[in-house]
Amino acid sequence: MKIHHAFFVLVLALALWPWSPQARPLEEEPTLRQLADAKGIVFGTAVGDSFWGIDKRYQATVKRDFNTIVAEYHMKFGKLHPRPIEFEWRFADSIMRFADEQGMKVRGHCLLWHKEAGWLEKVNYSRDSLMFLIHRAIDSIVGRYRGKIPQWDVVNEAISNKTDSLYRDTFLFRKLGIDYIDSAFRWARAADSSVKLYYNEYGNEALGLKSQKTYDFLKGLKERGVPVDGIGLQCHFDNDSVPDLDSIAANMKRLAELDLDIALTEVDYRLSFPVDSAKLAKQKENYRDLMKVCLENSRCKTFLVWGVNDSTSWVRPYFKNRGAPLLFNNDYAAKPAYYGIWEALAGRPNAIGQGLRIRRVQGKPTAKALNQRKINGALELAPPSRTRIHVPTR
Ligand code: XIL
């Protein structure tokens, strides 16, 4: 009887062993970075001020799970070129050095974006002066990192959301027309002959008005002989209303037929509060299926998430009542979404992910708590880590 009992326990233990969450620590499964490397996928994350913060888990997560970094803001025009006679390279150089030390790559984002143009917009420059200043900036920035940055977003968000106009009504477009776009690509190419040059945009992921305009615009660039190599689809999605995947795949197909590389450049799926396990499970599926769509298109080799963990994501300050959009929670623990990407890359379920339990949501967040970022949600148990900025000195 006793032997029979022991045998039963042994069989049960063997059956459960690989699937128990405690059975294998995270380190015993390949990391996302290893899986992406094996598949030749540029898999990255955006890094912000917390990169230089005191919480070491931020950089540890970056180098463990990603092979690429993009500066969330430190390499935008206004940040790299804060005054007409001054460039600020310290943050960008520090990111470059980290990537170099860790065998990672840096993606350049973004040379021209009307929202982050700083002083360029504030002074009423003549057309010629403006073109000169943009040329000088692109030449200096792309030239400085020549051969070290494989992809640059040259122009960001220049297409209008309105039905009656192709181009967004920005100070750049009003003053320079589309000349500045064509020229920006040409100047970037002149500064680095091997870099892949991208046009980056949001809301153009699935078939529809904006993606049609993006397509027409890119076709125009190609016809004019402008050196554009790729399209960036930002992919900032609301977890509750995601675009149809077949439609995204169809859009990617026609972009690839235009001879463009496709990069999913800023992926995140924001959740409504309070967070619960059903929303997290849906988020996992969303990440998994989007990665699958990318893997199915031979021109889609770049997939970047817009941030490292939930407490440092841009979503909370920018979207009312939305948050928890990323692969890691406030405590840098892998969320179901992490295992979604993992499954798509590995082509099998992850042992630990299978056993993942979601902590219970403790009460409904009040608007005040939300503002203070103190909500007691499943993924919001720890307050965001305080970031102290260390300015690199070399
Ligand atoms: C956002 C950053 O995440 C914020 O922290 C910053 O203040 C504003 O820009 N599309 C883009 C990104 O191309 O550069 C934006 O990043 C998000 C939307």
Side-chain angles (χ1 to χ4, degrees):
M1 188 67 177
K2 259 188 187 161
I3 291 172
H4 180 81
H5 182 72
F7 180 71
F8 177 71
V9 169
L10 182 71
V11 168
L12 190 71
L14 281 175
L16 289 177
W17 176 70
W19 303 108
S20 142
Q22 282 83 28
R24 288 201 254 172
L26 199 56
E27 300 81 59
E28 287 182 24
E29 285 282 35
T31 64
L32 292 183
R33 179 175 178 176
Q34 288 167 331
L35 293 174
D37 284 348
K39 278 202 132 50
I41 297 294
V42 173
F43 182 64
T45 181
V47 297
D49 283 342
S50 307
F51 184 75
W52 295 277
I54 50 171
D55 194 335
K56 295 285 167 264
R57 294 175 300 177
Y58 190 92
Q59 285 199 3
T61 307
V62 170
K63 64 188 180 197
R64 186 191 60 222
D65 275 301
F66 301 94
N67 58 28
T68 297
I69 12 182
V70 56
E72 189 172 348
Y73 26 81
H74 290 101
M75 290 171 81
K76 288 171 179 168
F77 186 99
K79 290 281 192 285
L80 279 182
H81 197 6
R83 277 166 287 280
I85 49 158
E86 199 181 318
F87 285 91
E88 168 59 88
W89 304 115
R90 284 179 298 173
F91 292 99
D93 283 358
S94 159
I95 288 172
M96 297 296 297
R97 204 165 42 244
F98 175 87
D100 196 36
E101 282 162 10
Q102 300 302 329
M104 304 173 83
K105 292 274 187 269
V106 174
R107 188 171 192 278
H109 172 84
C110 49
L111 297 171
L112 282 180
W113 184 26
H114 60 280
K115 277 197 183 158
E116 301 269 351
W119 54 273
L120 205 56
E121 183 173 8
K122 301 210 174 82
V123 180
N124 190 17
Y125 290 112
S126 70
R127 185 178 203 285
D128 286 352
S129 304
L130 203 49
M131 288 295 261
F132 166 80
L133 291 165
I134 293 173
H135 186 180
R136 189 187 63 178
I138 290 181
D139 195 42
S140 309
I141 296 167
V142 179
R144 182 177 182 88
Y145 301 115
R146 181 184 301 123
K148 294 184 186 148
I149 290 191
Q151 304 180 7
W152 261 110
D153 285 335
V154 179
V155 176
N156 196 31
E157 302 182 358
I159 292 174
S160 168
N161 291 330
K162 296 189 182 141
T163 42
D164 55 354
S165 46
L166 173 56
Y167 294 99
R168 186 186 281 272
D169 181 23
T170 68
F171 81 100
L172 290 166
F173 184 67
R174 279 193 298 277
K175 277 201 167 158
L176 307 170
I178 58 163
D179 281 2
Y180 85 92
I181 299 180
D182 290 14
S183 301
F185 278 93
R186 294 202 165 102
W187 293 329
R189 168 64 74 244
D192 184 343
S193 59
S194 63
V195 61
K196 296 276 187 198
L197 302 176
Y198 279 73
Y199 172 72
N200 194 47
E201 183 60 86
Y202 73 92
N204 60 348
E205 296 86 4
L207 296 173
L209 179 69
K210 187 110 179 243
S211 63
Q212 183 62 48
K213 284 200 256 182
T214 311
Y215 179 86
D216 295 342
F217 160 74
L218 287 160
K219 196 156 177 281
L221 288 181
K222 287 265 183 192
E223 280 163 6
R224 295 195 295 278
V226 176
V228 59
D229 302 297
I231 169 72
L233 310 176
Q234 290 185 9
C235 301
H236 291 294
F237 295 132
D238 192 311
N239 203 54
D240 295 335
S241 52
V242 290
D244 181 62
L245 285 169
D246 290 340
S247 183
I248 297 181
N251 187 35
M252 283 189 185
K253 183 169 177 286
R254 67 174 175 175
L255 290 163
E257 282 162 9
L258 256 192
D259 194 19
L260 291 165
D261 288 337
I262 299 157
L264 309 187
T265 50
E266 306 180 17
V267 183
D268 57 13
Y269 287 91
R270 52 188 182 273
L271 305 187
S272 56
F273 290 116
V275 171
D276 61 29
S277 36
K279 291 177 189 173
L280 290 166
K282 176 82 187 335
Q283 189 182 45
K284 171 186 177 175
E285 279 174 25
N286 285 334
Y287 270 105
R288 183 193 61 206
D289 295 346
L290 186 67
M291 177 58 96
K292 279 189 186 166
V293 166
C294 175
L295 295 174
E296 278 160 17
N297 188 310
S298 64
R299 297 302 292 268
C300 185
K301 297 252 178 258
T302 300
F303 189 114
L304 288 96
V305 292
W306 202 243
V308 179
N309 75 326
D310 287 343
S311 61
T312 55
S313 155
W314 78 305
V315 166
R316 286 290 283 282
Y318 280 82
F319 294 86
K320 200 167 170 254
N321 262 329
R322 292 286 185 280
L326 295 169
L327 306 182
F328 296 93
N329 73 6
N330 291 355
D331 292 324
Y332 295 88
K335 290 164 58 184
Y338 173 99
Y339 296 103
I341 294 284
W342 200 99
E343 284 174 19
L345 288 172
R348 68 169 171 91
N350 177 295
I352 302 131
Q354 291 274 316
L356 200 69
R357 291 281 172 275
I358 312 303
R359 279 186 278 180
R360 241 166 54 80
V361 176
Q362 302 172 355
K364 243 185 168 175
T366 61
K368 196 172 162 217
L370 272 176
N371 285 337
Q372 293 172 342
R373 295 175 146 221
K374 274 187 188 154
I375 127 174
N376 286 323
L379 296 155
E380 304 288 343
L381 293 173
S385 54
R386 217 170 279 145
T387 50
R388 195 177 298 154
I389 301 175
H390 165 68
V391 180
T393 49
R394 61 181 183 100

